[in-house]
Amino acid sequence: MSVQAPVRRITAPDIAAMKGAAPIVSLTAYHAHTAAIADPHCDFLLVGDSLGMVMHGFETTLPVPLELMITHGRAVMRGAKRALVVVDMPFGSYEESPPVAFRNSAKVIKETQCGAVKLEGGRRMAETIDYLCQRGVPVMAHIGLTPQSINVMGGFKVQGREKSQWKALEDDAQAVADAGAFAVVLEAMPEELARRITRKIPIPTIGIGAGRHCDGQILVMEDMLGLSPRVPKFVKQFGGVGQAIDAAIRGYAEEVRQGAFPTVDHTYAMKKPDKSPGKGKQRA
Ligand code: KIV
């Protein structure tokens, strides 16, 4: 048995309690290795449906099926031991009705053992958020630029650039908080609007392209690592992982072509014959 005490995983109420206390740090994660690396540094990891674009080459998040979210959710849960893991509900898996949302989010929680789900929408999803929270499903909401509504919004567009649009977004934030969401993602909106929302509602706001005054920040991991070929304006690249991968693969290809890899250090030798008495004889 291990002498180490088991590490307690961060919960949705822990994240809610961080409002006004400490900045909440989060990233997306889609697979076990990167989840394990991010785990000690992040309060929560989001298995975002952005994985459809980042990992699977779709142009939008709309084609992502529930099963794919579950597959990646399970991988992230195997890699991360401490951070709360939140799994995105993909387009079409929750909008129809609260019972449909419950059935699918219960499936996600049962099959991944994640600690919460995220869904997109403000006032229009308030009834569903309330229904899920009443039945044991912690919900993170997501307002502002909601990529699953791209066909209604007419593209990946910053929201709330006109002051006339602020009230609707503030009402969305209030509605998801009143419905019981433990946190809300604010995506792609002017900093001043995100500051107003953050001041007004009692749950943490998690900003992505929403400026400096949110209670926490989230980025797509591949974007901040410098792995994504194109990134939005709000992304800071904290690494050059794409270049590092390119240099490593270039080096490997060159060495294979030149016959410089593998060397004797990378090969297996035969077992030495065992000379001890009695060894090597067949049993009668
Ligand atoms: O799917 C995702 O990665 C997200 C983040 C951008 C918040 O929803």
Side-chain angles (χ1 to χ4, degrees), residues 18-46:
M18 290 174 77
K19 172 106 190 164
I24 298 166
V25 180
S26 60
L27 283 173
T28 62
Y30 312 131
H31 75 325
H33 283 154
T34 46
I37 295 170
D39 186 47
H41 307 291
C42 291
D43 300 305
F44 75 86
L45 295 173
L46 172 69

Side-chain angles (χ1 to χ4, degrees), residues 173-226:
Q174 193 62 56
V176 298
D178 291 346
F182 69 93
V184 56
V185 170
L186 306 183
E187 180 164 351
M189 64 177 66
E191 179 171 82
E192 189 46 35
L193 172 59
R195 188 217 288 260
R196 278 170 68 109
I197 291 173
T198 301
R199 281 197 184 146
K200 206 162 149 204
I201 64 172
I203 58 171
T205 57
I206 311 295
I208 175 162
R212 295 164 289 178
H213 307 294
C214 296
D215 297 299
Q217 297 291 332
I218 187 163
L219 285 175
V220 169
M221 191 189 293
E222 282 72 2
D223 289 353
M224 57 77 72
L225 287 178

Side-chain angles (χ1 to χ4, degrees), residues 28 30 46-51 61 88 118 120 142 147 185 187 208 218 220:
T28 62
Y30 312 131
L46 172 69
V47 186
D49 62 351
S50 52
L51 64 82
T61 57
D88 244 345
K118 177 168 84 56
E120 296 183 7
H142 181 159
V185 170
E187 180 164 351
I208 175 162
I218 187 163
V220 169

